[in-house]
Amino acid sequence: MAEVEHKKERILIVEDERRIAEILNDYLSQSGYEVDHQDRGDKIVELVKKNPPSLILLDVMLPGGDGLEICREIRKFSEVPIIIVSARIDELDRLLGLELGADDYICKPFSPREVVARVKAVFRRSRSAPEAESKLINIDDEKNRITVNGVVMDLTPTEFRLLKLFASKPGRVFSRNQLLELCYQQEQLVFDRVIDSHVKNVRKKLSKVLPGQELIHAVYGVGYRYEVKPADE
Ligand code: CA
């Protein structure tokens, strides 16, 4: 089968550092995308309303506007994929907690190749992921049962909640704190690294059903993401 061409998806780069914008522009253009660039925050919401791009790469610190506020505003009227670009890794956890509705987060300094890969992944998820996932994983809430690849999983209650949460939001990045809050009763006091051991156990159980395929991916400095990757990656 011939390789599927991009239908000239248009990516809007909102970035005030000229050098970074240029590099992103080069790499994304070479990958077959159409690219627009804006270096200020104040006109972005209007611009997206008038001429919606296929995806937005959004810097946080911008002259004339705050990237987080822009993201929130856009989400009020559009589901366009948004990748937030943060200058600090230790800020990512806070950003996740804000529930901005962004599709992914990238931290500076980044490799342009990685950005291209993440852009492709976001496009892929917004198109075809649900189909692949529904075949792979089935959640039966009434019976508290998760079936993966046709096999009923033997999970503890916490592992069940964890896997259910991940599978219900494919592609979404969860911080350890978020996972703890969502998986534990509030009165329990636990340290956020506890979640790592639960994730490890879920991964181990999944690997028996899906050898060689990873569904729960660590996101450096932040937490975890559930994603079904096509076989060629
Ligand atoms: Ca900036």
Side-chain angles (χ1 to χ4, degrees):
M1 202 170 75
E3 202 179 322
V4 182
E5 286 243 351
H6 302 298
K7 244 193 294 146
K8 273 288 179 193
E9 275 130 339
R10 193 165 56 86
I11 298 174
L12 173 61
I13 300 170
V14 187
E15 172 63 68
D16 59 316
E17 286 172 66
R18 182 180 296 246
R19 185 80 196 112
I20 292 180
E22 278 172 6
I23 292 171
L24 287 177
N25 197 335
D26 287 352
Y27 271 79
L28 290 166
S29 306
Q30 277 163 28
S31 305
Y33 298 106
E34 218 177 283
V35 183
D36 271 356
H37 171 230
Q38 293 289 324
D39 58 2
R40 293 185 59 84
D42 35 10
K43 293 274 159 55
I44 299 304
V45 175
E46 255 175 80
L47 200 89
V48 170
K49 252 183 206 166
K50 256 190 255 163
N51 187 13
S54 318
L55 184 145
I56 304 171
L57 274 172
L58 184 59
D59 185 27
V60 175
M61 302 276 280
L62 289 162
D66 168 31
L68 310 183
E69 210 35 62
I70 293 169
C71 184
R72 279 208 187 90
E73 283 301 312
I74 291 173
R75 272 294 167 268
K76 288 179 186 167
F77 64 90
S78 168
E79 285 297 313
V80 57
I82 298 175
I83 300 179
I84 299 254
V85 182
S86 163
R88 289 167 43 201
I89 190 115
D90 56 348
E91 197 181 43
L92 285 178
D93 197 61
R94 186 179 74 82
L95 296 184
L96 284 169
L98 295 176
E99 301 281 348
L100 299 163
D103 295 81
D104 206 349
Y105 298 83
I106 291 175
C107 191
K108 291 178 192 172
F110 47 69
S111 85
R113 272 173 224 282
E114 191 202 342
V115 175
V116 172
R118 305 280 276 273
V119 164
K120 284 184 181 165
V122 167
F123 276 133
R124 193 181 61 229
R125 286 202 295 271
S126 66
R127 276 193 223 104
S128 60
E131 224 174 84
E133 266 140 32
S134 64
K135 270 185 237 158
L136 194 67
I137 188 160
N138 180 273
I139 299 164
D140 186 336
D141 263 322
E142 278 177 28
K143 292 182 183 150
N144 266 7
R145 203 166 70 173
I146 296 180
T147 312
V148 177
N149 219 9
V151 180
V152 178
M153 301 294 291
D154 180 18
L155 303 166
T156 67
T158 303
E159 290 164 7
F160 175 85
R161 283 195 288 271
L162 205 55
L163 185 53
K164 184 184 153 185
L165 178 69
F166 277 125
S168 64
K169 302 272 182 204
R172 178 163 155 193
V173 184
F174 291 97
S175 72
R176 290 184 173 80
N177 277 327
Q178 283 179 313
L179 292 171
L180 278 177
E181 274 172 37
L182 294 161
C183 290
Y184 278 94
Q185 263 72 44
Q186 282 178 340
E187 59 268 23
Q188 282 179 281
L189 186 69
V190 278
F191 295 103
D192 63 353
R193 292 285 157 175
V194 167
I195 214 72
D196 290 345
S197 65
H198 289 301
V199 168
K200 196 173 149 200
N201 290 337
V202 173
R203 278 172 148 178
K204 203 188 286 173
K205 289 177 181 181
L206 283 171
S207 73
K208 287 182 187 152
V209 185
L210 298 167
Q213 194 178 348
E214 203 73 80
L215 293 186
I216 300 173
H217 308 267
V219 181
Y220 175 66
V222 186
Y224 297 96
R225 158 207 337 265
Y226 172 97
E227 190 175 0
V228 180
K229 298 200 174 176
D232 62 337
E233 278 180 36

